[in-house]
Amino acid sequence: MLTVHHLGISQSERIVWLCEELGIPYALKRYDRRADNRLAPDDFKALHPMGIAPVITDGDLVLGESGAICDYICGKYGDGRLSPGPDDPDFADHLFWFHWSNGTFMATLMMQLVLAGGGGDANPASVFVNDRSRRGWEMVEQRLGEAPFFGGRNLTTADIMMVYCLTTSRAFRGLSIDAFPNIKAYLGRIGERPAYRRAMEKAEPGMAPMLA
């Protein structure tokens, strides 16, 4: 049985949503963060050498990293769904946003969060990272004014990857999206998807999705 190991308020909500969108059988094991430092508990850290979310197990396989997990699940259980092929006109856009999500955007947001406690705007590194974050948010807003989904015409794993960056990750930084009407409209559409609602109810019971 495919098992999704979900750390509360973390990127692993993506994998729960992916499984719900694909309608595949899976087991969900949820781990609460430690009360003293809000980090992962020891039993979650023991799953994978990096000790971070997400992690899945599938038989003897233990796999981490959001993008790798998305590709693995879609390839093994998804029959090609949510991942357009090279003949699809949206193929390149899907690939860009799928990889940009963690490769650039989430990495920038994490650097911004870390640097916020180290001198603020007086830190030259903060100036660089804050500018990169600003440009990233502007790119996202522009993209969602051009297409209904990050990958183009249809929901793809690019959306599975990107939505966490726009929603739950803001719980760590208190960021408002009031200045981004296209993002807000997009998240409204995502929030109407039954699979997303099911996933968030299972992944974060008692927490309203951060869609506004």
Side-chain angles (χ1 to χ4, degrees), residues 106-194:
M106 196 67 217
T108 299
L109 298 180
M110 290 297 294
M111 286 191 291
Q112 193 175 31
L113 181 64
V114 171
L115 288 170
D121 292 340
N123 184 336
S126 293
V127 174
F128 171 80
V129 172
N130 289 342
D131 181 65
R132 176 173 284 190
S133 175
R134 175 190 58 78
R135 287 184 282 125
W137 283 99
E138 289 175 354
M139 275 183 55
V140 172
E141 176 70 4
Q142 180 178 342
R143 175 58 177 168
L144 295 176
E146 298 168 345
F149 299 100
F150 282 101
R153 298 163 297 160
N154 303 301
L155 183 114
T156 71
T157 51
D159 300 281
I160 300 291
M161 291 291 291
M162 281 296 300
V163 164
Y164 171 81
C165 306
L166 308 179
T167 57
T168 308
S169 78
R170 291 190 287 117
F172 296 99
R173 55 183 55 86
L175 180 69
S176 170
I177 56 171
D178 287 345
F180 303 112
N182 293 334
I183 294 176
K184 293 187 79 168
Y186 166 78
L187 292 179
R189 297 192 297 274
I190 294 297
E192 294 173 354
R193 298 184 70 87

Side-chain angles (χ1 to χ4, degrees), residues 9-30:
I9 314 180
S10 82
Q11 299 182 54
S12 51
E13 73 179 41
R14 292 165 166 156
I15 312 307
V16 185
W17 181 24
L18 174 64
C19 291
E20 291 291 334
E21 284 286 350
L22 291 173
I24 62 174
Y26 71 101
L28 175 63
K29 185 170 182 180
R30 190 182 187 282

Side-chain angles (χ1 to χ4, degrees), residues 33-100:
R33 291 178 176 271
R34 290 173 48 164
D36 57 342
N37 59 16
R38 303 302 298 153
L39 298 179
D42 291 344
D43 54 344
F44 188 91
K45 289 181 178 181
L47 291 168
H48 189 274
M50 283 300 295
I52 57 177
V55 175
I56 63 167
T57 52
D58 192 15
D60 293 332
L61 173 73
V62 179
L63 185 64
E65 194 60 35
S66 295
I69 293 171
C70 285
D71 281 346
Y72 175 85
I73 290 175
C74 286
K76 186 168 183 179
Y77 298 108
D79 298 321
R81 290 173 292 158
L82 302 185
S83 298
D87 294 331
D88 191 301
D90 290 332
F91 179 59
D93 283 331
H94 159 76
L95 285 179
F96 172 80
W97 292 101
F98 177 77
H99 289 283
W100 185 81

